[in-house]
Amino acid sequence: MTGASGWIWDPDSWQEWAIRLLRQQYGADNVIKVPDQDRGDLGIECFTRSGIVYQCYCPENPDLGPRALYDNHRDKITKDIKKFIQNEVELTRLFDSVKIRSWILFTPRHESHKTVQHCSEKATLVRRANLPYVATDFIVDVHELADYKDSAEILRRGPILPAPVGVPATIPKVTADGIDFRQVQSPLISVMDEKLSRIPRLANPDKRATYRAHLLGSHLTGEGLLDRYMESIPEVYQQIVDCVASVERGLLLAYGPGDLPHKVLGSVIDEVCERVEQVVPGIAKSNAESIALMAVTDWLQQCPLDFEEAG
């Protein structure tokens, strides 16, 4: 079937795309796929931990008019809602403690109010069956691709993010050994401290030590995030590494004598954040900031980032 985006799906490719899209919508860890290769399917493709069942369906013929498309959708809903009721034993075991509040036919497009009416009739049928895995306010609905426009756009731009990737990481205030970051010293940290001392607001040693500790804690968090990405989604890890390297390459020409140090520092942090958010849509903003501060901490300890005096 040809969608509004110009993409062409067959039933199998639509099912694969739809599940990827739903994992983008809800988080990869929150969508449970239900394979049908072993002894048939149960009338569903996947379900969410929040209680939404999806049956993904794409007609064979992409040129169906509204009436023929309705006939296809009606027959599919009727067939699979019957399975949803009849497979009570298997579905009770499958859903466990999850109460299903919605059964949704997910299809590239639908164009008839009669489909919605048919959904209402089937929802009533399910509620009357008093199934142990069905919520009292259970509904049947039909969704089309346009209903997930934002998630579809994110999915086209990058890989699916596991749910924890979008959760803000905690920035530690001490090292794993319980050492206060304010007290950590090394030759490279001394280099960073000297550069930070040129920022008027950080001229005070105590204020500078506090900010330096924040940078070091964020550096540790950023490294932890990159390790997680490298293990679970290496393509995201590589995109971040590449975009950080790109910003680093531009540092020598981006700023010069007369640029205010605090402005330079803020601009570099903002640029890395924006670039990370572009290549990893959906990443928590605080995680992007931790990665930016990790990069800036490295650059302050070495050559790439410095504050040149005018004249």
Side-chain angles (χ1 to χ4, degrees):
M1 173 172 283
T2 302
S5 65
W7 290 19
I8 297 177
W9 292 287
D10 57 41
D12 289 339
S13 62
W14 169 253
Q15 177 179 326
E16 179 183 356
W17 163 259
I19 291 176
R20 291 179 62 212
L21 178 61
L22 293 171
R23 283 182 164 160
Q24 177 62 58
Q25 177 81 8
Y26 296 103
D29 299 341
N30 293 319
V31 175
I32 297 90
K33 183 178 178 180
V34 182
D36 60 3
Q37 288 90 345
D38 182 15
R39 284 164 283 188
D41 70 81
L42 300 173
I44 64 175
E45 306 288 3
C46 62
F47 66 97
T48 72
R49 298 188 188 279
S50 60
I52 305 174
V53 158
Y54 282 92
Q55 178 63 293
C56 308
Y57 174 65
C58 177
E60 296 277 358
N61 183 355
D63 300 318
L64 294 176
R67 180 55 189 268
L69 191 60
Y70 159 69
D71 290 341
N72 271 253
H73 291 162
R74 178 200 61 207
D75 293 346
K76 180 64 174 174
I77 292 168
T78 299
K79 175 183 175 182
D80 287 328
I81 286 295
K82 183 178 180 180
K83 293 180 183 178
F84 186 72
I85 296 173
Q86 290 182 340
N87 288 298
E88 179 177 345
V89 174
E90 290 293 333
L91 289 175
T92 298
R93 295 175 61 194
L94 179 70
F95 296 134
D96 193 18
S97 62
V98 176
K99 284 286 188 180
I100 304 304
R101 54 190 177 86
S102 303
W103 185 102
I104 295 172
L105 182 74
F106 188 25
T107 188
R109 62 183 175 91
H110 86 93
E111 299 174 343
S112 175
H113 70 276
K114 292 178 69 65
T115 308
V116 180
Q117 292 173 335
H118 187 67
C119 286
S120 296
E121 294 170 1
K122 292 303 174 183
T124 300
L125 187 66
V126 171
R127 289 194 296 269
R128 287 175 178 170
N130 292 317
L131 300 166
Y133 43 84
V134 170
T136 56
D137 57 351
F138 175 85
I139 65 169
V140 175
D141 202 356
V142 56
H143 289 184
E144 60 183 351
L145 182 58
D147 297 324
Y148 297 79
K149 182 169 57 177
D150 292 342
S151 291
E153 179 58 27
I154 290 173
L155 185 56
R156 291 188 188 107
R157 290 163 53 193
I160 307 166
L161 300 181
V165 175
V167 176
T170 300
I171 299 175
K173 300 185 184 306
V174 296
T175 68
D177 298 322
I179 302 172
D180 187 345
F181 282 115
R182 286 172 52 93
Q183 307 303 321
V184 177
Q185 295 293 332
S186 75
L188 288 178
I189 290 177
S190 295
V191 171
M192 176 172 67
D193 190 69
E194 191 279 326
K195 291 179 181 178
L196 292 175
S197 70
R198 302 179 212 166
I199 298 176
R201 295 179 184 178
L202 298 180
N204 180 284
D206 287 337
K207 288 184 177 179
R208 191 164 66 252
T210 298
Y211 186 71
R212 190 176 66 239
H214 173 62
L215 288 178
L216 293 173
S218 296
H219 185 279
L220 192 62
T221 301
E223 286 185 327
L225 287 168
L226 285 184
D227 286 344
R228 184 198 304 174
Y229 300 165
M230 184 170 61
E231 292 173 2
S232 59
I233 37 177
E235 62 271 35
V236 164
Y237 165 81
Q238 193 58 53
Q239 287 174 323
I240 292 174
V241 169
D242 290 345
C243 83
V244 169
S246 176
V247 175
E248 181 180 358
R249 287 192 295 271
L251 284 178
L252 292 177
L253 298 177
Y255 305 99
D259 289 323
L260 296 174
H262 70 282
K263 294 285 189 181
V264 173
L265 183 60
S267 295
V268 174
I269 293 171
D270 288 345
E271 182 178 359
V272 178
C273 277
E274 291 171 4
R275 295 283 294 275
V276 170
E277 289 175 325
Q278 286 172 3
V279 300
V280 190
I283 189 172
K285 186 172 184 61
S286 61
N287 289 353
E289 289 173 348
S290 292
I291 291 169
L293 292 173
M294 177 198 70
V296 164
T297 302
D298 283 337
W299 298 337
L300 283 170
Q301 294 182 57
Q302 301 178 61
C303 295
L305 182 57
D306 204 347
F307 312 124
E308 300 182 43
E309 296 181 4

